[in-house]
Amino acid sequence: KILTNYPSTMKTVAVLSLLAGSAAAFAPATTKSTSAVVTGMSFDGEVGAQEPLGFWDPLGMVIGQDQERFDRLRYVEVKHGRIAMLAVTGHITTTAGYRLGGDIDYSGHSFASIKTGIAGISDIPQAGLLQIAAFIGFLELFVMKDVKGTGQSPGDFRNGFDFGWDKYTEEEKNQKRAVELNQGRAAQMGILGLMFHEQMGGDPYVINSLLGYPTI
């Protein structure tokens, strides 16, 4: 019964999470976190406010808000964008037929037998789902955060490691932040589209079908 109800719950949570992330998806990035308390600030000049829309906040989520609130929304946007990029990559990879070798449990259920996309949730043993949830919780609490407080912008989780980032000029850093934002925004829309097409019963890769290469 738990496994039967779990996919529906997961689908709802996934859709709501992505929608929450995309609500601030077109509000631009800040270059450095601050605890400013001045309200009514303008964010028109921030990274991410670019042509053709410029600064676009359709839900008015930063109207009259201070920099601290903006940084919080930007952090959520960046995080959801990264999750969505991983989700799209995983969806494409498994749809192409790539799977881990071996079995997912001691009962003989192979990784290859797990379906692609949302449908695959019901194929994963309950213990596997709990392990996934625990791993995500561990990353959220101890890894994917600015542990040392040295981040230069929301989503900067280097925590003292350089990774070559400091060799770039401020202009280059902003350009790379903008690229990540755009790709994350596109991925959020992309994974939502794939999920909805799955539930509609069609091929989530519409272009493939139109070109004569259906994936289902």
PDB file of all heavy atoms in Angstrom, residues 86-102:
ATOM      1  N   LEU A  86      20.000  18.044 -13.205  1.00  0.00           N
ATOM      2  CA  LEU A  86      20.319  16.634 -12.945  1.00  0.00           C
ATOM      3  C   LEU A  86      19.155  15.739 -13.355  1.00  0.00           C
ATOM      4  O   LEU A  86      19.360  14.652 -13.914  1.00  0.00           O
ATOM      5  CB  LEU A  86      20.631  16.435 -11.460  1.00  0.00           C
ATOM      6  CG  LEU A  86      21.959  17.014 -10.954  1.00  0.00           C
ATOM      7  CD1 LEU A  86      22.036  16.900  -9.435  1.00  0.00           C
ATOM      8  CD2 LEU A  86      23.144  16.307 -11.598  1.00  0.00           C
ATOM      9  N   ALA A  87      17.931  16.197 -13.085  1.00  0.00           N
ATOM     10  CA  ALA A  87      16.752  15.397 -13.421  1.00  0.00           C
ATOM     11  C   ALA A  87      16.621  15.210 -14.931  1.00  0.00           C
ATOM     12  O   ALA A  87      16.344  14.101 -15.407  1.00  0.00           O
ATOM     13  CB  ALA A  87      15.492  16.069 -12.869  1.00  0.00           C
ATOM     14  N   VAL A  88      16.807  16.282 -15.687  1.00  0.00           N
ATOM     15  CA  VAL A  88      16.712  16.184 -17.147  1.00  0.00           C
ATOM     16  C   VAL A  88      17.809  15.265 -17.689  1.00  0.00           C
ATOM     17  O   VAL A  88      17.555  14.415 -18.553  1.00  0.00           O
ATOM     18  CB  VAL A  88      16.810  17.576 -17.800  1.00  0.00           C
ATOM     19  CG1 VAL A  88      16.954  17.455 -19.316  1.00  0.00           C
ATOM     20  CG2 VAL A  88      15.569  18.407 -17.473  1.00  0.00           C
ATOM     21  N   THR A  89      19.021  15.431 -17.166  1.00  0.00           N
ATOM     22  CA  THR A  89      20.131  14.581 -17.610  1.00  0.00           C
ATOM     23  C   THR A  89      19.845  13.115 -17.305  1.00  0.00           C
ATOM     24  O   THR A  89      20.067  12.230 -18.149  1.00  0.00           O
ATOM     25  CB  THR A  89      21.437  15.004 -16.924  1.00  0.00           C
ATOM     26  OG1 THR A  89      21.709  16.371 -17.228  1.00  0.00           O
ATOM     27  CG2 THR A  89      22.599  14.139 -17.391  1.00  0.00           C
ATOM     28  N   GLY A  90      19.327  12.841 -16.112  1.00  0.00           N
ATOM     29  CA  GLY A  90      19.001  11.462 -15.753  1.00  0.00           C
ATOM     30  C   GLY A  90      17.896  10.896 -16.608  1.00  0.00           C
ATOM     31  O   GLY A  90      17.935   9.720 -17.005  1.00  0.00           O
ATOM     32  N   HIS A  91      16.895  11.717 -16.911  1.00  0.00           N
ATOM     33  CA  HIS A  91      15.775  11.263 -17.739  1.00  0.00           C
ATOM     34  C   HIS A  91      16.254  10.907 -19.141  1.00  0.00           C
ATOM     35  O   HIS A  91      15.894   9.857 -19.690  1.00  0.00           O
ATOM     36  CB  HIS A  91      14.711  12.368 -17.809  1.00  0.00           C
ATOM     37  CG  HIS A  91      13.341  11.868 -18.154  1.00  0.00           C
ATOM     38  ND1 HIS A  91      13.031  11.371 -19.399  1.00  0.00           N
ATOM     39  CD2 HIS A  91      12.201  11.793 -17.425  1.00  0.00           C
ATOM     40  CE1 HIS A  91      11.752  11.012 -19.419  1.00  0.00           C
ATOM     41  NE2 HIS A  91      11.230  11.260 -18.230  1.00  0.00           N
ATOM     42  N   ILE A  92      17.083  11.763 -19.713  1.00  0.00           N
ATOM     43  CA  ILE A  92      17.604  11.503 -21.062  1.00  0.00           C
ATOM     44  C   ILE A  92      18.477  10.250 -21.070  1.00  0.00           C
ATOM     45  O   ILE A  92      18.385   9.413 -21.975  1.00  0.00           O
ATOM     46  CB  ILE A  92      18.416  12.717 -21.566  1.00  0.00           C
ATOM     47  CG1 ILE A  92      17.488  13.912 -21.785  1.00  0.00           C
ATOM     48  CG2 ILE A  92      19.156  12.377 -22.864  1.00  0.00           C
ATOM     49  CD1 ILE A  92      18.223  15.195 -22.132  1.00  0.00           C
ATOM     50  N   THR A  93      19.314  10.111 -20.040  1.00  0.00           N
ATOM     51  CA  THR A  93      20.235   8.977 -19.968  1.00  0.00           C
ATOM     52  C   THR A  93      19.483   7.652 -19.875  1.00  0.00           C
ATOM     53  O   THR A  93      19.786   6.692 -20.599  1.00  0.00           O
ATOM     54  CB  THR A  93      21.169   9.125 -18.765  1.00  0.00           C
ATOM     55  OG1 THR A  93      21.904  10.343 -18.881  1.00  0.00           O
ATOM     56  CG2 THR A  93      22.137   7.956 -18.679  1.00  0.00           C
ATOM     57  N   THR A  94      18.486   7.584 -18.980  1.00  0.00           N
ATOM     58  CA  THR A  94      17.757   6.328 -18.816  1.00  0.00           C
ATOM     59  C   THR A  94      16.852   6.046 -20.016  1.00  0.00           C
ATOM     60  O   THR A  94      16.661   4.881 -20.385  1.00  0.00           O
ATOM     61  CB  THR A  94      16.918   6.353 -17.529  1.00  0.00           C
ATOM     62  OG1 THR A  94      16.084   7.531 -17.516  1.00  0.00           O
ATOM     63  CG2 THR A  94      17.829   6.380 -16.309  1.00  0.00           C
ATOM     64  N   THR A  95      16.303   7.095 -20.610  1.00  0.00           N
ATOM     65  CA  THR A  95      15.479   6.897 -21.803  1.00  0.00           C
ATOM     66  C   THR A  95      16.312   6.324 -22.947  1.00  0.00           C
ATOM     67  O   THR A  95      15.822   5.524 -23.753  1.00  0.00           O
ATOM     68  CB  THR A  95      14.833   8.220 -22.254  1.00  0.00           C
ATOM     69  OG1 THR A  95      13.991   8.710 -21.211  1.00  0.00           O
ATOM     70  CG2 THR A  95      13.980   8.025 -23.501  1.00  0.00           C
ATOM     71  N   ALA A  96      17.582   6.713 -23.006  1.00  0.00           N
ATOM     72  CA  ALA A  96      18.489   6.198 -24.034  1.00  0.00           C
ATOM     73  C   ALA A  96      18.891   4.749 -23.777  1.00  0.00           C
ATOM     74  O   ALA A  96      19.560   4.131 -24.613  1.00  0.00           O
ATOM     75  CB  ALA A  96      19.732   7.069 -24.124  1.00  0.00           C
ATOM     76  N   GLY A  97      18.483   4.204 -22.631  1.00  0.00           N
ATOM     77  CA  GLY A  97      18.739   2.792 -22.348  1.00  0.00           C
ATOM     78  C   GLY A  97      19.917   2.512 -21.455  1.00  0.00           C
ATOM     79  O   GLY A  97      20.261   1.347 -21.222  1.00  0.00           O
ATOM     80  N   TYR A  98      20.544   3.557 -20.930  1.00  0.00           N
ATOM     81  CA  TYR A  98      21.701   3.344 -20.063  1.00  0.00           C
ATOM     82  C   TYR A  98      21.242   3.059 -18.636  1.00  0.00           C
ATOM     83  O   TYR A  98      20.447   3.802 -18.061  1.00  0.00           O
ATOM     84  CB  TYR A  98      22.613   4.571 -20.081  1.00  0.00           C
ATOM     85  CG  TYR A  98      23.242   4.825 -21.432  1.00  0.00           C
ATOM     86  CD1 TYR A  98      22.719   5.785 -22.286  1.00  0.00           C
ATOM     87  CD2 TYR A  98      24.343   4.092 -21.848  1.00  0.00           C
ATOM     88  CE1 TYR A  98      23.284   6.021 -23.531  1.00  0.00           C
ATOM     89  CE2 TYR A  98      24.925   4.319 -23.091  1.00  0.00           C
ATOM     90  CZ  TYR A  98      24.391   5.285 -23.927  1.00  0.00           C
ATOM     91  OH  TYR A  98      24.950   5.502 -25.156  1.00  0.00           O
ATOM     92  N   ARG A  99      21.739   1.991 -18.059  1.00  0.00           N
ATOM     93  CA  ARG A  99      21.402   1.599 -16.697  1.00  0.00           C
ATOM     94  C   ARG A  99      22.653   1.066 -15.992  1.00  0.00           C
ATOM     95  O   ARG A  99      23.609   0.638 -16.648  1.00  0.00           O
ATOM     96  CB  ARG A  99      20.346   0.480 -16.692  1.00  0.00           C
ATOM     97  CG  ARG A  99      19.008   0.842 -17.270  1.00  0.00           C
ATOM     98  CD  ARG A  99      18.228   1.777 -16.345  1.00  0.00           C
ATOM     99  NE  ARG A  99      16.822   1.812 -16.674  1.00  0.00           N
ATOM    100  CZ  ARG A  99      16.305   2.483 -17.682  1.00  0.00           C
ATOM    101  NH1 ARG A  99      17.096   3.172 -18.481  1.00  0.00           N
ATOM    102  NH2 ARG A  99      14.987   2.472 -17.906  1.00  0.00           N
ATOM    103  N   LEU A 100      22.619   1.102 -14.678  1.00  0.00           N
ATOM    104  CA  LEU A 100      23.672   0.459 -13.910  1.00  0.00           C
ATOM    105  C   LEU A 100      23.539  -1.055 -14.067  1.00  0.00           C
ATOM    106  O   LEU A 100      22.437  -1.576 -14.228  1.00  0.00           O
ATOM    107  CB  LEU A 100      23.558   0.832 -12.431  1.00  0.00           C
ATOM    108  CG  LEU A 100      23.833   2.296 -12.060  1.00  0.00           C
ATOM    109  CD1 LEU A 100      23.543   2.515 -10.581  1.00  0.00           C
ATOM    110  CD2 LEU A 100      25.271   2.672 -12.380  1.00  0.00           C
ATOM    111  N   GLY A 101      24.653  -1.738 -14.003  1.00  0.00           N
ATOM    112  CA  GLY A 101      24.592  -3.182 -14.071  1.00  0.00           C
ATOM    113  C   GLY A 101      24.192  -3.784 -12.733  1.00  0.00           C
ATOM    114  O   GLY A 101      24.239  -3.123 -11.700  1.00  0.00           O
ATOM    115  N   GLY A 102      23.764  -5.016 -12.743  1.00  0.00           N
ATOM    116  CA  GLY A 102      23.437  -5.695 -11.497  1.00  0.00           C
ATOM    117  C   GLY A 102      22.024  -5.448 -11.021  1.00  0.00           C
ATOM    118  O   GLY A 102      21.171  -4.943 -11.759  1.00  0.00           O
TER     119      GLY A 102
END
